[in-house]
Amino acid sequence: MSKDNEILEEFTSKEYEHGWSVDYEADEAPIGLTEDTIRWISSKKEEPKWLLDWRLKAFRHWETMDEPTWPNVKYPKIDYQALRYYSAPKQKSKPSNINEVDPELLKIYDRLGISLNEQKRLQGIAVDAVLDSVSVGTTFKDTLSKLGVVFCSFSEAVKEHPDLVKKYLGSVVPSTDNYFAALNSAVFSDGSFCYIPKGVRCPMELSTYFRINAANTGQFERTLIIAEDKSYVSYLEGCTAPQRDENQLHAAVVEIYAAENAEVKYSTVQNWFPGDKNGKGGIYNFVTKRGICAGNHSKISWTQVETGSAVTWKYPSCILKGDHSIGEFYSVAVTNNYQQADTGTKMIHIGKNTRSRIVSKGISAGKSQNSYRGQVQVMKRATDARNFSQCDSLLMGDKCGAHTFPYIDIHNSSAKVEHEATTSKIGEDQIFYCNQRGISSEDAVALIVNGYAKEVLNQLPMEFAVEAQKLLALTLEGSVG
Amino acid sequence: MLSIKNLHAAIEGTPILKGISLEIKPGEVHAIMGPNGSGKSTLASVLAGREEYEVTEGEVYFKGKNLLDLSPEDRAREGVFLAFQYPVEIPGVSSTNFLRTAVNQVREYRGQEPLDAVKFLSLMKEKMKLVEIDQKLLSRALNEGFSGGEKKKNEIFQMAVLEPTLSILDETDSGLDIDALKVVANGVNQLKTKENATIVVTHYQRLLDYIVPDYVHVLFDGRIVKSGSKDLALELEDKGYDWIKEEISGTTV
């Protein structure tokens, strides 16, 4: 075995950094999924009847559906009756602001390097922290509310802004959209809600941090972002989970609504537990993310850095309904050891002069499988639609796989659609060249991979970009061939 | 500075180097010449520590250290520099970023403080003049889309920045027109000091008009079959390599 392979191996077999869990008292739903489970969750959250009905409708539909088998991933059949659908850390009393949150819970986030203490926070980022099923606290609420920006947990939004929630919930991702979206609609526990009023440029990054802690518990969060006319928001999402032998299910839904001239930037750094180096454990990440550019000249941009999860199934998409609207998708997906990822995007051009851009960079190492699946659809009315897609794959070692499944569906002859794809390998020659200049093999891999992913990393907010670079290096430590 | 004794090396079981001995002192320039397939580039690769080559016999000492015990990166940090015959491309990584990583890892190895961005840039500026390299080239991705001449210039530029004690130029003249050759040779000559040494591996005598060697060694079938002054190179240019081959077969039969 060559040295490069050894490095690759070492890199890829690196232990997961966030693999710890904490014991705390939890409020849990009984195991299994029936209408009663849903009623239990809904009453626990003191929800209005319309929402319970909405959940039940989704559940009944879900029961008629089959789990999708078209993704290029393999995993044992999930027993949905063996899972727990709700787990919340017990807090002595309901906190009215972040300073009243149980210090034990705050410690969990401190350990993750995310301080929820507002004084300690760097300027410019407001955080909503979600632990297992519920939001434990949101920072900078007062500052934001002065501008009319609402940034809170989903449950709170249901109570405080029921009209907004009722209007937009399920408007982008209907409760019957797909198997996992239906499941989420039935049992979603919490998540983040964000509303940017007309003409407001949100002055700070809004960030949600998801952490799964409890065993055998699915996390089903729901995020809803509404950007009114001429508003702007940049939204960040981070995820980690403890290292457990059993697989855990994460089925989230994110909906974004952009009105006229609004711009929403959504960035994710996903670092769920990927399973150990033998492929045991890890998170099943089955997520539906979709945004609608409803107004003219609106823009939605997805940036994702996917390093974790045992199995990923995720296609952040844009519906370009407004004329001159823009959809963007920038993705780096890294798979290592036995990880499997089937990820990509859908760009649906409905309005005139709509534009979309897809930049996907897959990196496969170890024995992993990495698939890009993307669809570009140009509808009849969408004159002069333009799309540019670039899908690159980087292979490390000779036991992994990279696959590309582009679908193009055009119903208007004025459309201009370009697709470029490349596959490359980190060569021993590249590593040796770096070595010969005094650069260690680990740093050489980091340098090469970051160079490869640069176009996507450049899209991330500064602070996140640095973290993502480190994460890429860490995920791939030792993986060259 | 460099002492090679009875070096044998093989690739995938096929012997390429069959007993090379060579002594190089500070301040010297040695040219290694020879026909294709004689083992010139293998010698350069073995000294730099390329994995594919297996050293089967012999020893190499560099500044008193057993070079063969060191990893490729540690050899570089000790001051061995190889100017590649075919420099590789690294997409998305600028030459500047690449070199700064290299310089700081070398400095760390030597127990020196890393250079900050300002100091590094002024070092770059100083060395850029030496090899007449364009700053624009250095902000582009390393070697990506560079012409043959630009790649070789960039190698010499890296050499200038890293200030090695032993530089090995592997067929640096291949693919260069005469103007680029002069620029590259001029850079190498300016970098010459009393403390460092250079090994010039080349097929043709042409480069040696500009980088004048103190010694010329002829490599044939994995062995040094003839050593001499720079006149030997001229003689080779004049008579070709067949003359050497005949002379060897004459002595061995």
Side-chain angles (χ1 to χ4, degrees):
Chain A
M1 191 163 71
S2 75
K3 190 179 164 201
D4 287 352
N5 272 327
E6 279 167 43
I7 299 159
L8 198 105
E9 207 104 309
E10 198 186 299
F11 237 137
T12 48
S13 53
K14 191 97 172 181
E15 290 294 323
Y16 181 65
E17 199 188 0
H18 299 294
W20 43 270
S21 68
V22 174
D23 285 327
Y24 51 78
E25 248 193 294
D27 216 349
E28 294 176 328
I31 281 174
L33 182 56
T34 61
E35 283 203 11
D36 287 344
T37 322
I38 291 157
R39 285 176 204 283
W40 189 95
I41 293 170
S42 193
S43 82
K44 196 87 206 164
K45 304 185 77 67
E46 300 163 3
E47 284 176 356
K49 188 168 178 304
W50 68 264
L51 190 50
L52 173 63
D53 292 343
W54 192 81
R55 285 173 179 277
L56 289 172
K57 191 182 142 220
F59 176 68
R60 283 169 201 141
H61 187 78
W62 177 74
E63 282 187 309
T64 68
M65 298 173 97
D66 292 317
E67 204 169 318
T69 51
W70 50 262
N72 187 26
V73 295
K74 289 192 190 81
Y75 54 91
K77 210 165 163 47
I78 299 169
D79 181 357
Y80 290 92
Q81 296 306 332
L83 287 175
R84 193 188 300 284
Y85 289 84
Y86 185 88
S87 171
K90 252 185 200 160
Q91 300 210 30
K92 280 161 201 106
S93 60
K94 208 143 179 65
S96 63
N97 69 46
I98 200 83
N99 299 324
E100 289 174 26
V101 172
D102 188 341
E104 284 300 313
L105 298 181
L106 292 182
K107 267 188 213 158
I108 294 179
Y109 285 88
D110 273 343
R111 210 169 147 182
L112 290 166
I114 298 156
S115 173
L116 296 180
N117 187 322
E118 290 190 15
Q119 274 75 42
K120 280 193 226 149
R121 278 301 308 176
L122 283 166
Q123 275 284 310
I125 302 179
V127 182
D128 181 34
V130 177
L131 186 63
D132 290 336
S133 301
V134 296
S135 166
V136 295
T138 311
T139 61
F140 286 113
K141 261 182 160 164
D142 296 343
T143 322
L144 291 169
S145 71
K146 276 179 199 133
L147 291 162
V149 173
V150 181
F151 180 47
C152 62
S153 72
F154 204 93
S155 322
E156 207 178 318
V158 170
K159 290 198 175 74
E160 308 288 329
H161 309 278
D163 296 343
L164 282 175
V165 175
K166 202 170 173 178
K167 183 174 170 193
Y168 291 101
L169 178 67
S171 68
V172 190
V173 181
S175 63
T176 52
D177 188 80
N178 67 67
Y179 191 79
F180 299 110
L183 178 64
N184 173 287
S185 302
V187 302
F188 75 90
S189 33
D190 213 336
S192 298
F193 175 85
C194 160
Y195 175 82
I196 316 293
K198 205 168 167 170
V200 172
R201 223 188 132 80
C202 189
M204 53 179 78
E205 313 270 353
L206 301 185
S207 165
T208 302
Y209 202 90
F210 296 108
R211 168 116 185 133
I212 297 180
N213 196 71
N216 291 323
T217 302
Q219 180 159 320
F220 305 94
E221 79 272 1
R222 192 140 190 135
T223 302
L224 180 54
I225 299 171
I226 303 153
E228 294 283 22
D229 293 356
K230 292 182 188 156
S231 66
Y232 167 85
V233 65
S234 166
Y235 192 93
L236 316 172
E237 175 198 283
C239 334
T240 60
Q243 198 161 340
R244 295 193 192 279
D245 286 348
E246 313 83 34
N247 295 98
Q248 281 166 286
L249 179 61
H250 172 252
V253 171
V254 175
E255 295 179 278
I256 300 176
Y257 181 91
E260 205 162 301
N261 281 302
E263 182 179 348
V264 179
K265 214 172 137 64
Y266 194 105
S267 316
T268 309
V269 174
Q270 185 262 106
N271 183 27
W272 294 118
F273 177 49
D276 66 14
K277 59 183 172 187
N278 300 314
K280 202 168 175 179
I283 303 283
Y284 292 159
N285 191 32
F286 302 145
V287 175
T288 308
K289 291 184 170 182
R290 194 177 301 152
I292 182 163
C293 286
N296 295 343
H297 299 281
S298 55
K299 179 177 174 183
I300 293 175
S301 176
W302 299 99
T303 305
Q304 60 173 20
V305 177
E306 300 279 313
T307 64
S309 298
V311 181
T312 300
W313 179 96
K314 183 179 169 189
Y315 315 91
S317 305
C318 298
I319 301 170
L320 303 170
K321 191 173 164 224
D323 293 345
H324 306 279
S325 60
I326 299 171
E328 290 177 338
F329 174 74
Y330 297 94
S331 168
V332 178
V334 190
T335 52
N336 202 348
N337 297 322
Y338 287 90
Q339 278 177 274
Q340 308 172 67
D342 194 304
T343 183
T345 185
K346 256 191 210 176
M347 292 291 173
I348 302 165
H349 295 254
I350 300 172
K352 295 184 180 66
N353 289 306
T354 44
R355 277 186 286 152
S356 63
R357 182 180 172 83
I358 299 170
V359 178
S360 163
K361 303 266 182 181
I363 303 168
S364 347
K367 297 185 173 110
S368 67
Q369 295 296 327
N370 202 327
S371 304
Y372 166 81
R373 188 183 302 275
Q375 183 174 27
V376 176
Q377 204 171 8
V378 177
M379 305 304 227
K380 222 169 172 178
R381 203 177 74 77
T383 30
D384 295 323
R386 268 191 289 161
N387 161 267
F388 173 75
S389 305
Q390 186 183 337
C391 305
D392 298 332
S393 308
L394 185 69
L395 298 166
M396 301 170 93
D398 48 15
K399 297 186 191 79
C400 54
H403 317 269
T404 306
F405 305 99
Y407 305 90
I408 296 175
D409 183 14
I410 312 287
H411 298 282
N412 185 310
S413 58
S414 65
K416 234 185 194 171
V417 176
E418 289 173 75
H419 182 94
E420 281 179 14
T422 65
T423 302
S424 53
K425 238 181 131 172
I426 286 199
E428 295 194 15
D429 281 356
Q430 285 176 319
I431 304 285
F432 179 69
Y433 190 79
C434 294
N435 286 160
Q436 215 301 308
R437 299 299 184 251
I439 301 170
S440 70
S441 297
E442 283 77 9
D443 290 315
V445 171
L447 203 65
I448 294 164
V449 165
N450 278 312
Y452 167 77
K454 195 170 161 193
E455 207 180 335
V456 175
L457 297 179
N458 281 349
Q459 297 294 326
L460 290 172
M462 195 56 163
E463 202 197 1
F464 242 35
V466 175
E467 212 172 293
Q469 274 188 16
K470 284 187 202 147
L471 197 59
L472 279 185
L474 203 71
T475 313
L476 289 168
E477 209 153 287
S479 13
V480 192
Chain B
M1 173 198 288
L2 183 76
S3 167
I4 305 175
K5 284 197 181 109
N6 191 30
L7 183 66
H8 288 68
I11 184 161
E12 287 166 359
T14 311
I16 308 281
L17 300 184
K18 301 168 182 172
I20 288 189
S21 298
L22 190 61
E23 290 288 331
I24 295 177
K25 294 191 185 66
E28 293 178 348
V29 176
H30 290 243
I32 311 268
M33 301 185 71
N36 288 332
S38 57
K40 301 187 302 284
S41 283
T42 300
L43 177 62
S45 295
V46 167
L47 292 177
R50 200 185 265 276
E51 282 284 312
E52 301 96 284
Y53 297 94
E54 191 196 348
V55 174
T56 48
E57 212 184 314
E59 56 187 30
V60 181
Y61 277 83
F62 176 62
K63 295 193 292 189
K65 283 187 184 163
N66 184 349
L67 193 71
L68 301 177
D69 275 355
L70 298 176
S71 65
E73 58 268 35
D74 282 349
R75 295 181 197 196
R77 293 160 183 172
E78 287 288 343
V80 176
F81 182 92
L82 173 65
F84 284 67
Q85 184 177 2
Y86 304 108
V88 303
E89 300 182 359
I90 305 185
V93 178
S94 69
S95 292
T96 310
N97 187 13
F98 172 76
L99 256 186
R100 194 174 164 207
T101 309
V103 164
N104 282 336
Q105 292 215 356
V106 170
R107 291 181 67 90
E108 192 186 337
Y109 179 83
R110 295 177 186 166
Q112 296 162 318
E113 288 288 307
L115 289 184
D116 61 33
V118 178
K119 281 190 185 137
F120 179 73
L121 279 179
S122 68
L123 175 72
M124 294 257 294
K125 285 238 166 73
E126 179 198 327
K127 304 291 185 184
M128 262 156 44
K129 285 186 207 131
L130 215 62
V131 286
E132 300 170 34
I133 198 165
D134 192 351
Q135 186 159 15
K136 276 184 215 143
L137 207 61
L138 300 177
S139 53
R140 276 167 53 184
L142 185 65
N143 291 328
E144 203 183 25
F146 284 25
S147 70
E150 286 171 335
K151 282 184 183 172
K152 296 293 170 76
K153 261 194 209 175
N154 192 22
E155 291 292 289
I156 304 306
F157 173 68
Q158 291 181 26
M159 178 176 139
V161 172
L162 290 164
E163 299 176 335
T165 24
L166 175 68
S167 304
I168 306 162
L169 311 181
D170 187 9
E171 309 262 6
T172 296
D173 49 337
S174 70
L176 290 190
D177 61 32
I178 196 73
D179 293 331
L181 186 78
K182 277 183 191 165
V183 172
V184 163
N186 187 34
V188 173
N189 287 332
Q190 289 198 54
L191 294 169
K192 232 167 80 179
T193 67
K194 276 183 194 141
E195 283 78 39
N196 62 25
T198 312
I199 299 176
V200 182
V201 174
T202 183
H203 185 79
Y204 301 104
Q205 190 270 339
R206 191 176 67 150
L207 180 64
L208 305 181
D209 284 342
Y210 302 99
I211 304 171
V212 181
D214 299 300
Y215 301 94
V216 175
H217 310 279
V218 180
L219 204 60
F220 182 73
D221 193 24
R223 290 182 195 90
I224 291 177
V225 292
K226 206 169 178 65
S227 295
S229 70
K230 65 177 193 308
D231 297 338
L232 179 56
L234 294 170
E235 205 172 343
L236 283 170
E237 178 79 357
D238 198 28
K239 296 186 190 168
Y241 286 107
D242 289 345
W243 156 67
I244 297 270
K245 288 178 197 167
E246 277 160 29
E247 201 175 285
I248 297 159
S249 49
T251 51
T252 48
V253 169

